[in-house]
Amino acid sequence: MLTYVVLTKFTDQGIRNVKDSPKRAEAFKQMAKTFGVTVKDIFWTQGRYDIVTIVEAPDESSAMSLSLSLGALGNVRTESLRAFSAAEMATVVGQMI
């Protein structure tokens, strides 16, 4: 499984309906399942981003399909960061020349 950190900002539409955000988060978890993606954690944050989500996807295509489907709803815009565990990073640096 591939891990992603998803940084999220509300759109104008999303902030107008911010009271529905917890319900939308539950709907997002269900949507993620349809792509084989597991939502590990969702955090509402203060600062540059409104929400930070940790997800695990079976492949890049599944992660991208989920991200595009979420964005198409119009409530948020996302930036996804591929994250590597310590074990994965040890493999990566082990392959360096």
Side-chain angles (χ1 to χ4, degrees):
M1 293 292 268
L2 306 176
T3 302
Y4 290 87
V5 176
V6 183
L7 306 174
T8 306
K9 291 182 179 185
F10 290 121
T11 62
D12 289 341
Q13 173 183 307
I15 198 66
R16 277 193 306 270
N17 300 305
V18 72
K19 289 182 181 181
D20 296 331
S21 184
K23 291 178 191 173
R24 289 195 308 256
E26 288 304 313
F28 171 71
K29 289 178 184 179
Q30 296 307 310
M31 178 193 293
K33 287 180 185 179
T34 68
F35 296 100
V37 177
T38 301
V39 177
K40 302 303 278 182
D41 270 312
I42 299 177
F43 301 98
W44 283 261
T45 56
Q46 296 177 326
R48 185 173 177 182
Y49 296 96
D50 299 309
I51 301 170
V52 176
T53 306
I54 311 298
V55 301
E56 288 185 347
D59 51 50
E60 290 177 346
S61 178
S62 298
M64 184 68 156
S65 294
L66 174 60
S67 179
L68 291 171
S69 295
L70 178 62
L73 296 174
N75 294 305
V76 296
R77 294 289 175 257
T78 62
E79 179 179 343
S80 298
L81 308 171
R82 172 67 166 91
F84 296 83
S85 68
E88 290 170 322
M89 194 60 189
T91 300
V92 169
V93 297
Q95 296 172 348
M96 293 176 65
I97 297 174

